Amino acid sequence: MASSLLTSSKLSPFPSPFTSQKSSPFLPPSTSLHFCPSKPPSFPSFPSYSFPRSLLVSSSLNPNPPSPLRRPLYIPNHIPDPFYVRVFDTTLRDGEQSPGATLTSKEKLDVARQLARLGVDIIEAGFPAASKDDFEAVKAIAKEVGNAEDENGYVPVICGLSRCNEKDIKAAWEAVKYAKRPRIHTFIATSGIHLEYKLRKSKEEVLDIATSMVRYARSLGCNDVEFSPEDAGRSEREFLYVILGEVIKAGATTLNIPDTVGITVPREFGQLIADIKANTPGIENVVISTHCQNDLGLSTGNTLAGACAGARQVEVTINGIGERAGNASLEEVVMAIKCRGEHVLGGLYTGINTQHIVMASKMVEEYTGLHVQPHKAIVGANAFAHESGIHQDGMLKHKGTYEIISPEDIGLERSNEAGIVLGKLSGRHALRDRLKELGYELDDEQLGNIFWLFKAVAEQKKRVTDADLIALVSDEVFQPGVVWKLDDLQVTCGTLGLSTATIKLIDASGAEHVACSVGTGPVDSAYKAVDLITKEPVTLLEYSMNAVTEGIDAIATTRVLVRAEKSHLSTHALTGEAVHRTFSGTGAGMDIVVSSVKAYIGALNKMLGFKEQFQTKSSPERSPVSA
């Protein structure tokens, strides 16, 4: 829907205040924007264009691409350039709330480093009051990534989420204060249904809590405070204007407007942002932000509508992961602004280095175990695939006939143009080049490990495909820290008796451990043998396997999801309830049992690594929702 709304520059998301009011894709036909006389709107006007051929493709398909605009100076409550849109990434906070997406501290740090390479303006590193591990992970990101200033003076803001209570806010500050640019993000629900059934508080009580907690956050020494009225999409407008005006007086620098349940459509959400901008006292002294959930599949459209209405910060996640149906996708929002910002969206732009999108997507996919659907916009496996004969004919004549974005723009190079086919005689250089084309930049040690895995596969397959390489990288590079490693595996199975598995594992010290077990099948018996060695009882919640290519010699990839019997608990950011952490693992191999065991051991390693951090690190205790 979002793409259809943005195909013509004649479809102005909001009419210019200097032109006649006409129908808009983001506003009901009978509705017009109402502004306070003392605060005229400052939306960009969107003149009508006929589309020249060069506007239908992105920069790398355009022979004369415009030079990238410079990122403006960072001021918490003001953006010097009115056309610049800050990108606030919440993959490590909201994204990690997806079932099975638990990340270790090391994985969170890796993702934060990649987000910094992308150039996101703000990294919401987590919810420090949720658990000891969350606190330490946010602290580590603040210390390293939050102080890694590049040659242009860029360093990301490191943000910690907190509910509106002193313990949460104190924990957030203690975690993020080590960053060069720390931010506290605090929230409280404002919709009638949340006030009545969740908080059981009056509007007056919520107003008092919000203002006093924003004031408390500022009193700690934090000069960058973001406030969110949870479920703003279903909140009374007049109450929103009042509470937002009061938190501005208390010291908030960014006002985030969340569509928490993903119920709005673009014209509704755009109108909400416009109304807030027009009717909130002091709004000119803060930055307006959007946070759109994807329950109706409209998060990208809503986010763009909010930006057109005057929001200058967009909250997004890599691959759109998050609660329920997920969040607005960073790659979709950023590429929509890059593709159409100059000509349709009034000149909006971001500071994202889009050539790091593919690697960020792959890293998040592998670490979380949440696979990207093949037809996912921008980063899906089929996003740049053309099978129709008519489309292929057009692509051969000019790529701009069916591609509005070049794969090179997001860090993906075309595999069928180099003419190199990888096989058992291929060397390291050819392998490195192909992996780089796929978006993977590996160090020498990682490349060496991948090379020998590649050789083993190439001995059994005539041709090693891109899908095979991606599976091998996933199996080697994106694995958790090693506590247990598979050394040998032998299984016996069939119709003549119980399946038997013998397993040899190597622990972190290099010692070998062997166990044998029987089960209802080869995977069951192998998992039971692993349990005998590790002595870590877990519940297997999910098990899935896929062949990465066609053919009997295809590599199999396996994903498992486990939960410890003595489950790790953390506090859910929105509900305040204790939730059980689950851990995912992935494995790849030409033998399906080997692949399955690798995935199981990967999940156990992640769980054990998390358990060790949880036991050895200290932080402020978890706190209940403020009374």
Side-chain angles (χ1 to χ4, degrees), residues 301-382:
N302 286 343
T303 299
L304 294 174
C308 288
R312 287 298 177 264
Q313 176 180 290
V314 291
E315 301 203 354
V316 291
T317 62
I318 300 295
N319 298 337
I321 65 173
E323 286 273 6
R324 302 183 311 279
N327 291 277
S329 163
L330 179 145
E331 57 274 10
E332 292 176 16
V333 172
V334 166
M335 292 309 295
I337 292 175
K338 179 174 181 177
C339 250
R340 312 310 309 279
E342 183 179 358
H343 303 287
V344 179
L345 304 179
L348 299 182
Y349 73 102
T350 73
I352 296 297
N353 182 345
T354 60
Q355 293 190 337
H356 289 284
I357 283 177
V358 166
M359 189 60 181
S361 173
K362 292 179 185 298
M363 180 179 287
V364 170
E365 179 181 19
E366 298 300 339
Y367 278 165
T368 63
L370 301 175
H371 295 300
V372 174
Q373 62 200 45
H375 55 281
K376 169 77 168 64
I378 314 300
V379 294
N382 296 342

Side-chain angles (χ1 to χ4, degrees), residues 22 57 77 126-127 170 173 249 272 278 296 304 384 405 448 455 489 495 584 619:
K22 295 184 179 181
V57 294
N77 67 330
F127 178 34
K170 178 69 171 175
W173 175 243
K249 292 178 185 177
L272 173 61
L296 295 178
L304 294 174
F384 298 99
I405 298 170
K455 281 290 190 180
L489 165 64
T495 60
S584 63
S619 76

Side-chain angles (χ1 to χ4, degrees), residues 48-68:
S48 173
Y49 292 95
S50 60
F51 276 167
R53 183 165 169 264
S54 63
L55 296 185
L56 297 178
V57 294
S58 69
S59 59
S60 61
L61 296 179
N62 186 341
N64 298 301
S67 59

